[in-house]
């Protein structure tokens, strides 16, 4: 006997889905995001996404090359790949992110401070509300 013993189509039906959503589910099932650099490096779309990520990191001066202190090991990094979809289920873009394997770092040895230049909109609204209530001078 060939095939799967318990085929998925026996238990899952897409007939109740609207046409656009059925198309979206089909795209998600058809397109596969690579799990490793080795899988992505052969696809021109993923290569372009990785190139765009490196270019953005360089333009934002995200890092600088410095000599490694004696006896220290560099922190590794890996690529994370994601397909971004528009509301109409078409592909918006292929996104690649180069991320540090921070789980290898140890506080006080590999790093001292953590910095994230991001503020949640809720935090900004709270600060503005406090400023409005206190009538902070703008000078």
């Amino acid at each position: 006997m060939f095939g799967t013993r318990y085929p998925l189509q026996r238990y899952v039906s897409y007939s109740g889905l609207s046409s656009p959503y059925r198309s979206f589910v089909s795209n998600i099932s058809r397109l596969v995001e690579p799990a490793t650099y080795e899988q992505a490096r052969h696809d021109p779309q993923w290569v372009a996404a990785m190139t765009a990520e490196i270019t953005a990191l360089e333009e934002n001066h995200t890092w600088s090359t410095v000599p490694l202190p004696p006896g220290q090991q560099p922190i590794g990094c890996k690529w994370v790949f994601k397909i971004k979809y528009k509301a109409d289920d078409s592909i918006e873009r292929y996104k690649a992110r180069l991320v540090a394997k921070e789980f290898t770092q140890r506080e006080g040895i590999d790093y001292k401070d953590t910095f994230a230049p991001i503020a949640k909109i809720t935090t900004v609204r709270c600060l503005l509300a406090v400023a409005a209530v206190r009538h902070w001078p703008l000078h």
Side-chain angles (χ1 to χ4, degrees):
M1 182 172 168
F2 297 100
T4 305
R5 186 173 181 180
Y6 301 103
L8 190 59
Q9 61 267 24
R10 281 192 194 169
Y11 307 100
V12 177
S13 171
Y14 298 121
S15 62
L17 300 177
S18 66
S19 180
Y21 193 69
R22 192 175 312 126
S23 175
F24 177 72
V25 170
S26 173
N27 267 345
I28 289 175
S29 302
R30 183 175 49 85
L31 299 172
V32 178
E33 295 166 346
T36 65
Y37 169 79
E38 285 301 316
Q39 294 170 348
R41 72 185 184 101
H42 302 292
D43 186 330
Q45 292 166 320
W46 290 115
V47 171
M50 290 186 283
T51 302
E53 170 72 354
I54 292 293
T55 301
L57 291 171
E58 289 172 346
E59 288 176 355
N60 292 328
H61 305 289
T62 303
W63 65 59
S64 56
T65 305
V66 296
L68 191 63
Q72 297 296 311
Q73 294 292 319
I75 296 169
C77 60
K78 71 174 196 167
W79 285 101
V80 177
F81 304 98
K82 193 77 177 157
I83 299 172
K84 298 294 186 173
Y85 295 93
K86 295 180 183 176
D88 68 354
D89 83 32
S90 62
I91 295 174
E92 179 180 342
R93 64 189 163 124
Y94 289 76
K95 185 172 185 159
R97 286 283 179 241
L98 186 61
V99 296
K101 294 181 180 179
E102 0 183 316
F103 55 84
T104 61
Q105 292 179 298
R106 295 161 298 181
E107 187 174 0
I109 298 171
D110 298 315
Y111 71 93
K112 293 179 183 157
D113 298 317
T114 302
F115 177 72
I118 299 170
K120 291 183 179 179
I121 192 66
T122 306
T123 305
V124 174
R125 287 181 181 151
C126 286
L127 288 173
L128 292 174
V130 169
V133 169
R134 293 192 177 199
H135 305 288
W136 282 355
L138 299 175
H139 51 14

